[in-house]
Amino acid sequence: MAPKVWLNGELVERERALVSVFDHGLLYGDGVFEGIRSYGGRVFRLEKHVRRLFDSANGIRLTIPLAPQAVGEAVVATLQANGMKDAYIRVVVTRGEGTLGLDPNRCPKPNLFIITDRIELYPRELYENGLEIITASTMRNHPNAVNPRLKSLNYLNNILAKIEAIDAGTLEAVMLNHLGYVAECTGDNLFIVRDGRLFTPPIAAGILEGITRDEILDIARRGNIEIREENLTRQDLYVADECFLTGTAAEVVPVVGIDKRTIGSGKPGPVTKRLAEEFHRRTRG
Ligand code: PMP
């Protein structure tokens, strides 16, 4: 069965899932998206993802042509049409087809599409041995530019940081904000553990309010792990006992080296493992 893409209310074959070259999503990165996951046929935290999609759209003055519930239903319908149980789901809303100028008012109809795909994970050994990362010189977007809380279609900033990571022979890069504090990685939020406490940059540091991040904070809270959402410097990362990244696709990935500094023992730490195990239970349990 050829994979089907949900496009503006219809399930169409992948080859027929097309949008115009005049779509402002393509011309200007004018649009928003979500990355969602399903486990055993259940979509994880669907309402939260749909809400964030609508919040992102609101931030760029884009009206999604469906009610939130209908978007959620379309996600489930796409999954079922493709007979997928464990999937990565991409929901995209673009400004739609318009003229070559910037004016979004010239784009009368947004395009909404939903793609389901296999999950592309980091290699398994990275979850066991941990990942080495670098700090990128490319800064995270200023909160008064496109606020990083918006999951916009313009990821060029993060792509530039990702190129730096790849050039350095690593898979991820830490991005700092305009004040020099740690923000997040190119596609994941960042946590450290020091003296048994869990630290992560606050939303005001200019980060995406990750749904996996929220989940980890909830797990920590219930597990009586002290949480501090505060500004972190690179030095805070270097002297951490543990470090890990979180994201829908990656889940919880231990980090064992940053900028050639060994983090903690150089192996995934006990708090990271404990949080990852509970996250695993919540998603698969
Ligand atoms: N930060 C950025 C920049 C992201 O793109 C993502 C999503 N891939 C995350 C953090 C993690 O967010 P979530 O846990 O909601 O997937």
Side-chain angles (χ1 to χ4, degrees):
M1 188 178 65
K4 291 225 168 20
V5 174
W6 193 99
L7 175 62
N8 298 324
E10 270 181 80
L11 281 159
V12 301
E13 265 163 44
R14 184 194 169 110
E15 288 70 29
R16 288 184 44 240
L18 304 170
V19 295
S20 162
V21 294
F22 291 94
D23 191 307
H24 281 206
L26 176 60
L27 289 174
Y28 299 116
D30 186 352
V32 294
F33 76 102
E34 271 303 318
I36 314 177
R37 223 170 132 165
S38 71
Y39 296 89
R42 270 179 45 238
V43 184
F44 189 66
R45 302 287 178 258
L46 179 58
E47 306 76 33
K48 282 194 174 184
H49 282 284
V50 169
R51 182 171 187 199
R52 189 170 68 184
L53 181 74
F54 276 75
D55 286 348
S56 296
N58 183 30
I60 67 160
R61 305 265 311 267
L62 172 64
T63 305
I64 296 179
L66 281 182
Q69 180 157 350
V71 173
E73 285 164 6
V75 166
V76 174
T78 312
L79 210 55
Q80 286 170 352
N82 286 292
M84 291 184 88
K85 294 217 177 300
D86 298 296
Y88 179 81
I89 304 153
R90 176 64 57 92
V91 184
V92 183
V93 191
T94 72
R95 188 76 67 178
E97 191 174 340
T99 55
L100 284 183
L102 291 179
D103 187 356
N105 299 317
R106 299 281 191 92
C107 309
K109 197 176 141 290
N111 278 313
L112 201 170
F113 51 89
I114 303 167
I115 304 166
T116 51
D117 201 354
R118 308 217 167 282
I119 310 139
E120 209 187 294
L121 292 176
Y122 285 131
R124 197 184 156 70
E125 56 131 56
L126 285 181
Y127 290 86
E128 275 148 32
N129 302 329
L131 182 67
E132 294 201 28
I133 62 176
I134 57 148
T135 310
S137 65
T138 307
M139 241 193 281
R140 196 67 178 97
N141 289 338
H142 191 291
N144 285 329
V146 179
N147 193 302
R149 281 181 80 173
L150 303 183
K151 212 164 157 57
S152 93
L153 283 185
N154 202 317
Y155 253 54
L156 203 40
N157 226 52
N158 303 43
I159 290 166
L160 292 178
K162 179 85 174 180
I163 290 170
E164 291 186 55
I166 294 163
D167 284 349
T170 62
L171 295 174
E172 254 297 4
V174 181
M175 300 181 80
L176 307 177
N177 66 19
H178 65 289
L179 298 170
Y181 291 117
V182 173
E184 59 182 337
C185 285
T186 68
D188 296 306
N189 291 112
L190 181 143
F191 287 82
I192 57 170
V193 178
R194 169 112 169 161
D195 297 332
R197 297 190 193 97
L198 187 64
F199 295 79
T200 198
I203 305 303
I207 61 170
L208 184 74
E209 194 173 357
I211 285 160
T212 319
R213 175 186 182 275
D214 273 356
E215 207 67 28
I216 291 298
L217 289 174
D218 185 61
I219 291 168
R221 211 170 283 123
R222 286 168 198 268
N224 294 317
I225 296 171
E226 191 178 328
I227 299 164
R228 302 239 178 122
E229 288 182 67
E230 55 188 55
N231 282 326
L232 301 172
T233 63
R234 271 190 292 176
Q235 180 66 8
D236 292 319
L237 306 188
Y238 298 157
V239 300
D241 299 325
E242 302 179 34
C243 176
F244 62 90
L245 313 181
T246 64
T248 293
E251 301 186 320
V252 178
V253 195
V255 172
V256 294
I258 306 177
D259 298 332
K260 301 284 182 199
R261 276 81 164 177
T262 301
I263 304 304
S265 65
K267 296 208 169 75
V271 178
T272 305
K273 281 189 191 159
R274 187 178 147 200
L275 294 167
E277 275 165 20
E278 178 56 23
F279 182 77
H280 203 268
R281 257 193 295 280
R282 285 191 179 193
T283 50
R284 280 105 171 151

